[in-house]
């Protein structure tokens, strides 16, 4: 077995391990299932084409960094569409689609999960991503800062605000 | 009084929720992710077994061989020896010189 095959196998294992969580993170950010899938595919492509030869330990950070850029670009395009007056109806459609297209969300059956899910979705994007990357993906402050291309101070601020908001929301739900 | 959730509990709850949401992803998303993964893996640039400089190397080698062959003494084949013999034979030389005359004779039927 040559190095290329080993590398391909390692990449496949890596993607299998990370893809579902990454998909949820993207879906949280843009509220559109199909678009989230596209962003994941683009991120995978870029990782394979540009960074496949890098050390495996770097892949997680690189992948999430690419994904963050993809999300940022998507939001920028959505903003431009909105600027030219095409977004109002589309935003509504995206939100509706997100809710309707997720029959698998058994989490909604659970009140706590549902409240948490809603609260996370309500977070501003950067706070949401800081919270998800840190609490779910287990990245530390420094790693999160690399992924989000900001300072560790900003990550701490985003994360702290996210936690404060979520606690408030969940407490209001009397959980 | 409302119960205050700790940061640790919040993290745990968040992780639990998200893991649960991943486990309950529907089939279409799983298929979409599989396709995305396969597409990405297929796009991996395959390093060629032939090095990039091999083209230039091949050209240089061909030029070298051509130049080298130019100074090489020709291999003497049977055909070459025959030609050489024909040139050296005086009669043959005479025949070649008078070829037009012999052709004329042949046309007139006087040669036979």
């Amino acid at each position: 077995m040559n190095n290329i095959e080993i590398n391909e196998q390692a990449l496949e294992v890596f993607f299998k391990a990370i893809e579902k969580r990454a998909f949820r993170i993207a879906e949280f950010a843009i509220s559109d299932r199909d678009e989230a899938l596209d962003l994941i595919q683009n991120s995978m492509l870029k990782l394979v084409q540009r960074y496949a030869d890098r050390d495996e330990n770097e892949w997680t950070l690189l992948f999430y960094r690419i994904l963050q850029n993809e999300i940022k670009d998507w939001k920028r395009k959505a903003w431009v569409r909105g600027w030219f007056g095409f977004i109002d109806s589309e935003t509504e459609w995206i939100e509706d689609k997100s809710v309707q297209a997720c029959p698998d969300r058994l989490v909604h059956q659970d009140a706590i999960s549902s409240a948490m899910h809603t609260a996370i979705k309500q977070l501003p994007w950067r706070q949401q991503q800081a919270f998800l990357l840190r609490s779910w993906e287990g990245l530390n402050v420094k790693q999160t800062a690399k992924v989000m291309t900001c300072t560790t101070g900003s990550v701490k601020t985003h994360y702290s605000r996210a936690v404060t908001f979520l606690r408030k929301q969940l407490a209001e739900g009397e959980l | 009084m409302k119960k205050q959730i700790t940061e640790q509990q919040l993290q745990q709850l968040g992780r639990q929720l998200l893991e649960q949401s991943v486990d309950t992803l529907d089939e279409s998303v799983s298929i979409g992710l599989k396709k995305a993964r396969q597409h990405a893996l297929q796009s991996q640039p395959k390093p060629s077994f032939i090095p990039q400089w091999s083209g230039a190397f091949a050209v240089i080698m061909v030029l070298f061989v051509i130049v080298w062959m130019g100074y090489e003494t020709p291999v003497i084949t049977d055909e070459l020896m025959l030609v050489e013999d024909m040139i050296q034979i005086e009669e043959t030389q005479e025949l070649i010189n008078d070829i037009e005359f012999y052709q004329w004779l042949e046309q007139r039927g006087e040669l036979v």
Side-chain angles (χ1 to χ4, degrees):
Chain A
M1 195 182 289
N2 61 32
N3 288 340
I4 303 158
E5 284 168 345
I6 293 168
N7 189 256
E8 198 170 310
Q9 279 186 358
L11 274 166
E12 186 161 17
V13 170
F14 168 75
F15 284 145
K16 277 183 181 173
I18 207 168
E19 65 192 14
K20 289 183 178 175
R21 292 199 304 276
F23 167 76
R24 280 297 194 209
I25 287 177
E27 195 190 21
F28 266 116
I30 65 174
S31 301
D32 185 293
R33 166 170 298 209
D34 295 333
E35 296 281 336
L37 268 175
D38 284 347
L39 298 191
I40 296 295
Q41 176 161 314
N42 290 345
S43 305
M44 285 176 169
L45 274 170
K46 284 179 182 168
L47 185 85
V48 167
Q49 288 170 354
R50 296 179 191 172
Y51 304 108
D53 56 341
R54 297 280 278 266
D55 193 281
E56 284 181 44
N57 297 325
E58 292 180 59
W59 285 348
T60 303
L61 290 191
L62 287 167
F63 181 76
Y64 275 116
R65 189 163 179 169
I66 296 166
L67 182 60
Q68 289 296 311
N69 286 335
E70 289 287 323
I71 293 170
K72 205 186 293 176
D73 284 347
W74 188 92
K75 285 184 176 289
R76 197 177 292 132
K77 283 174 194 163
W79 181 82
V80 171
R81 284 198 301 271
W83 183 257
F84 288 102
F86 303 122
I87 196 67
D88 289 344
S89 56
E90 191 173 354
T91 310
E92 240 177 51
W93 173 79
I94 287 169
E95 290 302 322
D96 290 341
K97 191 181 172 189
S98 151
V99 173
Q100 286 166 7
C102 300
D104 59 312
R105 281 186 188 151
L106 299 177
V107 285
H108 282 218
Q109 292 168 5
D110 183 341
I112 301 171
S113 297
S114 179
M116 183 79 174
H117 189 271
T118 308
I120 292 174
K121 284 199 80 173
Q122 285 173 351
L123 283 170
W125 173 51
R126 302 287 277 174
Q127 290 180 29
Q128 183 191 76
Q129 297 296 296
F131 178 76
L132 291 174
L133 289 169
R134 289 219 52 210
S135 68
W136 194 15
E137 204 49 59
L139 303 186
N140 61 33
V141 175
K142 204 174 167 185
Q143 289 170 327
T144 310
K146 273 189 182 175
V147 168
M148 293 177 67
T149 52
C150 62
T151 62
T152 52
S154 295
V155 171
K156 285 178 188 168
T157 307
H158 289 313
Y159 180 74
S160 168
R161 285 180 182 164
V163 167
T164 306
F165 178 81
L166 291 173
R167 284 164 83 170
K168 189 171 166 240
Q169 291 298 106
L170 294 179
E172 279 174 5
E174 295 183 356
L175 299 171
Chain B
M1 187 181 164
K2 285 174 185 171
K3 191 168 67 179
Q4 186 73 314
I5 191 166
T6 66
E7 187 182 325
Q8 202 179 354
Q9 283 173 321
L10 190 71
Q11 275 197 353
Q12 203 178 345
L13 191 61
R15 200 173 298 130
Q16 203 179 338
L17 159 76
L18 294 164
E19 292 296 346
Q20 200 181 350
S21 76
V22 161
D23 292 339
T24 56
L25 274 175
D26 69 15
E27 195 62 22
S28 65
V29 173
S30 299
I31 292 168
L33 288 171
K34 190 180 175 185
K35 276 184 189 168
R37 189 194 328 131
Q38 286 171 345
H39 181 61
L41 291 172
Q42 281 166 7
S43 76
Q44 186 174 15
K46 308 273 183 207
S48 172
F49 290 108
I50 303 165
Q52 288 178 347
W53 46 264
S54 61
F57 180 74
V59 169
I60 290 167
M61 285 307 290
V62 167
L63 288 172
F64 175 76
V65 167
I66 289 169
V67 170
W68 182 69
M69 289 289 285
Y71 293 107
E72 181 80 347
T73 49
V75 179
I76 300 170
T77 60
D78 290 344
E79 290 81 7
L80 276 174
M81 286 181 75
L82 183 67
V83 169
E84 198 176 358
D85 286 346
M86 285 171 70
I87 292 167
Q88 282 174 356
I89 295 169
E90 209 170 301
E91 287 174 16
T92 316
Q93 188 65 41
E94 192 184 330
L95 177 74
I96 293 166
N97 290 339
D98 296 334
I99 191 77
E100 289 179 1
F101 172 68
Y102 287 115
Q103 280 176 342
W104 177 76
L105 282 178
E106 191 181 11
Q107 282 168 6
R108 288 173 60 96
E110 294 177 13
L111 190 65
V112 181

